[in-house]
Structures are given as C-alpha cells and as structure tokens.
Amino acid sequence: GAGVSQSPSNKVTEKGKDVELRCDPISGHTALYWYRQSLGQGLEFLIYFQGNSAPDKSGLPSDRFSAERTGGSVSTLTIQRTQQEDSAVYLCASSAPGTGIIEQYFGPGTRLTVT
Amino acid sequence: SQQGEEDPQALSIQEGENATMNCSYKTSINNLQWYRQNSGRGLVHLILIRSNEREKHSGRLRVTLDTSKKSSSLLITASRAADTASYFCATSKAAGNKLTFGGGTRVLVKP
C-alpha cells in the first residue's frame, strides 16, 4: 500500500512569510508524528497526534509553530513569520499502536529553506 | 534534546566486511528502533526491539539490546555498497509515543 506522503517536497520562502506543510499518513494509522532535522540539532520531535488530538506538543519550538489534524488523517504543520533558523527538513511519520504497529513509518520530508 | 549517543560517528569499511554501530540512551524505554537514511531525506525503518527482548535478526541485520547498560548495537553482515547511509537509533518510552533519536552513524561501504 501507499506510504506516508508529504508535500511540498521543497519549499523556499522569505523570512517573515507563513508556510504550510502537509502530511498524508498511511491509511488506517491513527498516530501521526512531526519531526524536523537540521544540521545543528539533529532529529527533533515536534508534535504527536492520536486521532485528531495532540497529547504531546512538547517539541514545538515556539508559538509560531502549530499543527492540526482533521478526520484522523491529513495533518498540516504551519509555521508563521518564518525565521532563518526554521530552515530544516520536516519529517512526518505514522503508526498504528492500537493494532500493535508501533514502528513509525516516515515520509520523504519537506525541505524548508528560509531566505 | 537527544536521548543518547551513537558510536562511532562515522565508519568506513570494504564491501563484504561487517559493520557494527552502537547506541546508548539515558532513560528507561519501551522499545528501540533503528532507521537508515540516504541523502538526508526520508528515514527507512529497519528493525524494532522491545525492552523485554535481547536480540533480533532481520536478514543481514542483527540488533542487540542491553537494558542494564542502556545500550544497543546494530550489526550489518556482509556489507554492500548499497548499505552506504546514515543509521539512527531511536527510543520510545511507551508504545506509540514519540521517538528520541541519537546523532547517527555515517557508514561508507567501499566497493
């Protein structure tokens, strides 16, 4: 079946603009995770959804970052007033812990460049 | 913040040799997962080992877990040029919870 998909694959934006990143999880996966990977910080957790609720938002670096998930499926990560330090690869993953699938399967990522 | 360290940071071997990398972590875990990443993009899931398991095998991969030492190792046997990638360990404190990643090991397999 189809894996996790993310769009866009690349995004270049000017400092101060807002961006939206999209994640389509594997069908039937109830859990969805956002991570980011940057040179200086490695792989960092951002937020986790179980269904449409987010029991763990502890990794969001500032209030400029927000995420939502609708219909227990697609998720959007929004970064407002982007800064250069937001440049990174944003990765989405999904799993189905309720069915015993606790492995997290990752999408190809969105490379965000803030100029 | 990262859960722990991976060792070595980089590894260069000849095709056919075995590659071993280690991962240490700091807190108790439910499970530990190993991933491979090519060219800085998506992570490919390799193997998961639960805290009550000591060893798992998958094809040419062997993973061990020592919860008393809070460490894990990944062995790739009979390496191939296609195994060239970065390898990450990641831990989870509860099933389905977030992953905390190590810094990764860059492996270069020379033909």
Side-chain angles (χ1 to χ4, degrees):
Chain A
V4 177
S5 62
Q6 294 185 244
S7 61
S9 58
N10 287 284
K11 176 72 177 178
V12 179
T13 190
E14 291 180 354
K15 178 181 172 182
K17 295 283 176 80
D18 298 351
V19 295
E20 285 189 351
L21 312 179
R22 176 186 168 109
C23 171
D24 280 273
I26 292 171
S27 178
H29 279 197
T30 57
L32 185 149
Y33 314 79
W34 285 98
Y35 298 85
R36 74 175 177 181
Q37 185 175 29
S38 56
L39 280 176
Q41 300 298 322
L43 274 153
E44 303 175 283
F45 166 78
L46 297 177
I47 186 169
Y48 149 55
F49 288 91
Q50 178 58 47
N52 292 334
S53 64
D56 190 348
K57 306 178 183 180
S58 62
L60 294 178
S62 76
D63 59 9
R64 296 185 296 104
F65 287 72
S66 63
E68 65 175 12
R69 188 179 186 196
T70 54
S73 181
V74 172
S75 176
T76 302
L77 177 69
T78 301
I79 310 173
Q80 295 178 310
R81 304 180 304 280
T82 51
Q83 303 294 311
Q84 287 185 332
E85 61 262 28
D86 299 335
S87 295
V89 177
Y90 288 81
L91 295 161
C92 175
S94 70
S95 71
T99 62
I101 301 173
I102 61 174
E103 294 87 343
Q104 293 186 22
Y105 294 96
F106 282 77
T110 293
R111 183 178 298 279
L112 175 66
T113 304
V114 182
T115 61
Chain B
S1 62
Q2 292 180 345
Q3 162 76 291
E5 302 289 327
E6 288 189 55
D7 166 53
Q9 290 188 336
L11 181 59
S12 180
I13 56 174
Q14 292 294 138
E15 209 166 24
E17 293 180 340
N18 295 342
T20 300
M21 59 209 86
N22 303 294
C23 166
S24 61
Y25 57 91
K26 297 174 182 172
T27 64
S28 62
I29 63 171
N30 172 273
N31 65 84
L32 185 147
Q33 304 184 38
W34 283 91
Y35 288 86
R36 184 184 74 229
Q37 185 178 45
N38 296 87
S39 306
R41 295 305 289 263
L43 293 156
V44 174
H45 188 271
L46 296 177
I47 198 165
L48 177 150
I49 187 165
R50 290 177 166 77
S51 60
N52 61 352
E53 298 174 311
R54 291 298 165 256
E55 186 171 316
K56 282 189 83 169
H57 297 255
S58 177
R60 293 183 296 112
L61 304 179
R62 173 179 169 253
V63 168
T64 63
L65 179 65
D66 186 335
T67 52
S68 67
K69 295 181 179 178
K70 291 186 171 58
S71 68
S72 174
S73 68
L74 171 67
L75 168 68
I76 305 173
T77 60
S79 62
R80 305 167 181 169
D83 295 328
T84 294
S86 291
Y87 292 81
F88 293 89
C89 69
T91 58
S92 181
K93 293 184 180 179
N97 276 20
K98 68 182 181 186
L99 293 174
T100 304
F101 285 85
T105 294
R106 295 188 311 278
V107 175
L108 171 64
V109 181
K110 294 178 281 188

